[in-house]
Amino acid sequence: MAKESRQVKEIRQVQGHDERNIARLALALAQNRVPDTMQSWEKQLTTDALGAIHVKCVSRSDSVVPHGLDNDIIVGLVNAFVEQGLPNTGVLQLSAYRLLTLAGLRVGGRQYSELLESLRRLQGSTFAITDSWFDGRQHQWTSEEFSIISSFARVDVTEIADDIGQLRADTMLEIQLARAITRSVRNGHLRPLDLEFYSQLSQPMVRTLYRSLEERRAPAGKVATNEYTVSTRIWGEHLGMQGWRLDKIRRALEPAHGELLETKYLLEVVYTGRGESQQVTYRFGKVAAPVNAELVALLTKNGLSAPNAVKIVQEHAGQVEVTVAAFHRVVAQARTPVKNRQGLLVDMFQNPDKYAEYMDAAHPRPLDTPSKPRERKAAKTVDEDWETRQAEEWLTLAPEAREKRMLNLLNMIMTEHMTKEEMGVVATLVGNGTLDALDTARALTRAMAEKTLAAYARELRGQIEL
């Protein structure tokens, strides 16, 4: 049990992803339960300035429409697709345990049976979307018709009769995602999703409301807003409460509002007006500033993984340069080589008081100020040692790990200059050895430092011939 808890904690610290069309359209209803007879719905409404939403959903005759936990499973599927390097076939291969953790869910016996039912609903329900699906590559609204999952299969390794056909932690799944979704993810129509925060939200209604509000708080290509106002009736129907009385919609939303207020994601929820003209206004908490890509690159150059670098920049942006300078001093003055450079650097952010003398020495002079000859020599030795270690690491990585690492690096640095599809191809070519991993990583870092990322993106496109 302790091992499982550690694994879940590790997963939740990874930056997640949310496909923006799915989050905006709310394809799976937000409520935990729906009537056994609910096998279809249709909505045609406007919730934001991006335009009207027109979606129709029809389930199989022996099932009901996707709802509740299905929203989380969709999040897990998108995260798995990104984690596995955007496979060209759109087929995911992973354990049931892995899918649940990538969905931000607490793992237990009940979740496995719910997962199986969710997969069946997502395969057996068809969504017809009219002029409401955004094509991130063509930059236009399109119509699509698909099931979230085209097909799925599972491999059981148990010989216990009662367990056959049931999902367990080690049950392997093979899932074919809809082409519209995989294409959208490849085109980069994604929003970062804080899985650690997401997993702390208690119910599907809260989590779906949070994702839907995020799409209204900061629409694609727009500046984030401090508040969002919408008709209570339209908002309720959009989330799946079609035909409900207004007071029932408000009661259903009240616990979710309370939880998001408690987390400070929302500062205030205000209802105004009466009857069908009633509106609800959400006032958001402080919007986090975009992550400084140059600081992330500085940390990854000094040994941190991309997710850890993003997390540290989010929490300690003002201390990054000083701490890295102090880190160089610690490494240069160490009596024996530092074996765990990544652990040391993270500890310096978490426990700065332990390194006060090095921090104080780092404060007077910024990183780009000329140093004394002896310090330059030490810094050069550290940089050369880092380069050597980087070369050794890239050479010893298995092809799959090399591809994944390169994709993470590209996602941190090149999202404004290359599409997800282009970055996926580059990562694949690094994985199979067509492109040299270390040369590509060095060129990325150099382009970041010299502010020539756009030019390097063009060079990469020439190499992959896209």
Side-chain angles (χ1 to χ4, degrees):
M1 182 66 69
K3 181 178 180 181
E4 182 175 276
S5 298
R6 285 196 298 271
Q7 288 173 314
V8 173
K9 184 176 181 182
E10 178 184 353
I11 294 299
R12 287 177 183 162
Q13 290 174 344
V14 174
Q15 179 69 55
H17 308 272
D18 200 3
E19 199 286 320
R20 304 191 73 146
N21 282 305
I22 295 173
R24 176 175 179 264
L25 297 175
L27 297 182
L29 308 184
Q31 54 264 45
N32 277 331
R33 298 178 181 85
V34 298
D36 293 340
T37 57
M38 191 167 190
Q39 297 177 337
S40 67
W41 55 260
E42 184 172 6
K43 62 184 176 184
Q44 192 167 2
L45 40 78
T46 300
T47 63
D48 53 39
L50 296 180
I53 289 173
H54 186 187
V55 183
K56 183 176 181 179
C57 175
V58 178
S59 74
R60 292 187 315 203
S61 59
D62 60 347
S63 185
V64 294
V65 296
H67 62 278
L69 190 75
D70 302 342
N71 285 288
D72 304 310
I73 300 307
I74 294 171
V75 168
L77 293 170
V78 170
N79 280 319
F81 183 63
V82 174
E83 181 186 67
Q84 295 187 12
L86 315 180
N88 292 331
T89 60
V91 175
L92 307 176
Q93 294 179 322
L94 74 169
S95 69
Y97 172 84
R98 185 63 172 172
L99 179 53
L100 286 173
T101 52
L102 287 173
L105 295 171
R106 293 178 175 84
V107 179
R110 181 171 58 88
Q111 276 74 22
Y112 291 111
S113 61
E114 291 180 345
L115 171 59
L116 181 56
E117 292 304 313
S118 176
L119 294 175
R120 287 170 173 164
R121 284 192 295 270
L122 295 176
Q123 180 190 9
S125 299
T126 301
F127 296 92
I129 302 167
T130 305
D131 295 330
S132 310
W133 184 271
F134 187 72
D135 185 327
R137 192 172 186 85
Q138 300 297 326
H139 298 284
Q140 63 185 17
W141 297 100
T142 64
S143 297
E144 298 282 352
E145 186 168 335
F146 57 81
S147 297
I148 302 290
I149 295 173
S150 302
S151 63
F152 79 93
R154 58 188 188 275
V155 178
D156 291 314
V157 295
T158 183
E159 295 181 357
I160 302 174
D162 290 344
D163 287 347
I164 294 175
Q166 304 299 316
L167 294 190
R168 300 176 315 284
D170 59 352
T171 302
M172 292 304 298
L173 302 170
E174 184 173 281
I175 301 170
Q176 174 74 62
L177 273 180
R179 187 169 180 270
I181 296 175
T182 60
R183 185 171 61 241
S184 184
V185 173
R186 289 180 188 281
N187 291 340
H189 199 50
L190 292 168
R191 170 189 294 282
L193 178 66
D194 183 346
L195 274 184
E196 187 169 9
F197 174 78
Y198 184 75
S199 67
Q200 293 170 1
L201 301 177
S202 64
Q203 296 292 327
M205 175 70 80
V206 192
R207 296 189 289 267
T208 304
L209 177 62
Y210 164 66
R211 292 170 54 228
S212 297
L213 286 173
E214 273 291 270
E215 276 304 303
R216 276 75 190 177
R217 181 187 66 80
K222 307 289 184 181
V223 177
T225 182
N226 292 323
E227 67 178 45
Y228 166 67
T229 300
V230 64
S231 158
T232 305
R233 166 68 65 197
I234 288 176
W235 193 232
E237 291 189 351
H238 175 64
L239 294 172
M241 293 169 268
Q242 297 184 345
W244 290 25
R245 299 192 315 270
L246 287 175
D247 62 328
K248 188 177 179 182
I249 292 174
R250 288 182 59 162
R251 285 200 302 273
L253 289 173
E254 186 175 352
H257 288 165
E259 194 166 333
L260 293 177
L261 286 165
E262 185 178 347
T263 64
K264 308 301 182 185
Y265 173 74
L266 293 177
L267 294 180
E268 193 176 22
V269 179
V270 179
Y271 288 97
T272 55
R274 293 184 177 183
E276 294 301 316
S277 63
Q278 185 183 92
Q279 294 183 314
V280 57
T281 296
Y282 296 95
R283 295 195 172 96
F284 300 103
K286 184 178 179 181
V287 178
V291 175
N292 186 316
E294 293 186 7
L295 295 182
V296 171
L298 178 62
L299 291 173
T300 56
K301 179 180 179 182
N302 282 279
L304 291 193
S305 66
N308 278 341
V310 170
K311 185 175 178 63
I312 284 179
V313 171
Q314 289 173 333
E315 297 176 354
H316 307 283
Q319 290 76 48
V320 169
E321 292 186 342
V322 168
T323 304
V324 170
F327 168 74
H328 282 193
R329 291 176 184 275
V330 173
V331 172
Q333 295 175 25
R335 294 182 180 179
T336 58
V338 178
K339 295 182 178 179
N340 185 2
R341 293 168 61 95
Q342 178 178 344
L344 170 63
L345 184 52
V346 170
D347 190 55
M348 291 181 72
F349 283 103
Q350 295 176 342
N351 302 288
D353 292 345
K354 290 168 54 176
Y355 308 92
E357 59 180 297
Y358 299 99
M359 297 288 189
D360 292 341
H363 269 288
R365 175 177 54 80
L367 285 178
D368 56 356
T369 302
S371 57
K372 295 178 182 179
R374 183 175 178 180
E375 290 175 340
R376 280 201 302 269
K377 183 177 180 180
K380 182 178 180 182
T381 302
V382 170
D383 287 341
E384 289 174 349
D385 178 60
W386 178 82
E387 289 283 356
T388 301
R389 289 177 181 273
Q390 288 291 294
E392 292 173 350
E393 288 178 10
W394 280 110
L395 289 173
T396 55
L397 286 174
E400 296 83 1
R402 196 160 57 233
E403 179 177 345
K404 181 178 176 182
R405 182 170 178 176
M406 178 55 63
L407 187 61
N408 285 338
L409 185 59
L410 289 164
N411 278 324
M412 288 301 102
I413 297 177
M414 297 296 280
T415 52
E416 294 184 4
H417 305 282
M418 299 182 73
T419 67
K420 286 288 178 181
E421 183 180 28
E422 290 168 342
M423 291 189 288
V425 173
V426 171
T428 299
L429 294 179
V430 166
N432 65 27
T434 303
L435 293 179
D436 184 87
L438 184 60
D439 287 349
T440 305
R442 284 172 172 169
L444 280 168
T445 305
R446 185 167 58 252
M448 168 68 76
E450 296 174 355
K451 301 185 185 301
T452 57
L453 288 174
Y456 186 54
R458 289 193 293 272
E459 181 180 334
L460 283 174
R461 286 192 195 93
Q463 294 181 36
I464 64 179
E465 297 182 349
L466 276 186

